[in-house]
Amino acid sequence: MRKALLLRAASIGAVCFAVTATPAPANTQDECTQSDDWWLRIKACTAAIESPRWTGALAAWAYSNRAVAHAALGNALEAFDDHRKAVSLNPNDPIARNNKGNSHADFREFRRALAEYDSAIRLRPGYVNAHYNRANAHFALEDFAAAIDDFSVVLKDRPDDGDALTGRAEARCLAGDFEGSVGDRLDALRLGTLALDDTAAYLRETGYLRQDAEAEAIDAIAPALAAWTEAGCP
């Protein structure tokens, strides 16, 4: 009952330009950082990258933002190459490390992804996106205790994060913490991030809720949800 989750990347905001560098025009900076037109972002970031005076952290900034656009368009190889270049140019940037971890995860290289998320968190303690992404990598590697820990960090900062709630619910179920798992799913239902109708339909399909049972309120399906969870969330 766990929906597919998107990993959380971030663009890198406009950097402070060294006085010896010739920055790109303001509109190019904005388009490379903020544009939701991914092809426009790629064009703007490429113009910045190709500027001969852009080196080091300045070039890393543009590579990282171009990588986010490539990933959004499904260009996984191009995104990975740009994330790799960004980290090589600015290895102490936690956002670049987090985003490179996502590229490794896209290729199911979860242990390499963990190394990047670890670096991101070491560089920026409490970095919530990196904890969320690391939780999913731990989950993929079936280290459910570690996944629970990272999801819990996310929820301490963002208690209404529905994806983190359902992720922790699944990890808790597979770790044998059935009570905690049910509690997380009920919280997600109350928040509306887990749809009541879809949950009831799933429980009917799997035989834990009678076909004729009323399911208009969360309390009505709670016993069936508990029974399904105690069966190991099949």
Side-chain angles (χ1 to χ4, degrees):
M1 205 192 298
R2 189 187 186 209
K3 64 182 180 181
L5 299 177
L6 294 176
L7 297 172
R8 297 177 180 175
S11 298
I12 297 177
V15 295
C16 296
F17 296 96
V19 294
T20 55
T22 302
N27 63 322
T28 299
Q29 295 177 37
D30 290 344
E31 288 166 357
C32 181
T33 306
Q34 302 172 14
S35 179
D36 291 331
D37 179 334
W38 301 120
W39 289 112
L40 179 60
R41 182 185 287 213
I42 288 171
K43 180 180 178 181
C45 293
T46 299
I49 290 166
E50 292 177 350
S51 173
R53 292 182 179 271
W54 280 51
T55 59
L58 297 178
W61 166 83
Y63 275 119
S64 195
N65 287 324
R66 190 173 72 174
V68 171
H70 276 307
L73 291 168
N75 303 331
L77 286 172
E78 290 87 348
F80 180 83
D81 190 50
D82 276 352
H83 283 314
R84 180 183 58 78
K85 289 174 181 174
V87 169
S88 70
L89 289 165
N90 192 7
N92 292 323
D93 186 330
I95 296 176
R97 288 283 189 179
N98 173 69
N99 292 351
K100 182 168 179 273
N102 290 350
S103 276
H104 281 299
D106 285 342
F107 288 101
R108 302 191 65 78
E109 298 173 342
F110 295 113
R111 296 198 183 281
R112 291 182 177 180
L114 283 177
E116 297 297 338
Y117 299 141
D118 288 346
S119 293
I121 293 166
R122 184 170 60 253
L123 290 164
R124 182 185 291 179
Y127 184 8
V128 175
N129 280 1
H131 277 287
Y132 175 85
N133 293 332
R134 191 171 71 174
N136 282 288
H138 282 308
F139 189 98
L141 293 168
E142 299 186 1
D143 187 348
F144 302 121
I148 291 165
D149 287 345
D150 274 326
F151 281 130
S152 295
V153 172
V154 176
L155 289 163
K156 183 176 180 180
D157 186 76
R158 302 172 184 170
D160 293 346
D161 191 318
D163 288 338
L165 271 172
T166 53
R168 189 174 69 176
E170 188 71 7
R172 280 177 160 173
C173 181
L174 295 171
D177 178 8
F178 301 135
E179 183 177 355
S181 178
V182 172
D184 281 343
R185 288 192 200 278
L186 290 175
D187 285 344
L189 285 166
R190 293 185 187 101
L191 287 170
T193 54
L194 188 60
L196 179 60
D197 290 346
D198 291 347
T199 303
Y202 184 85
L203 291 170
R204 287 192 180 99
E205 290 172 8
T206 52
Y208 288 90
L209 186 67
R210 296 195 325 272
Q211 294 296 323
D212 61 348
E214 294 291 334
E216 296 179 358
I218 294 170
D219 289 346
I221 70 166
L225 181 62
W228 174 80
T229 303
E230 290 169 7
C233 304

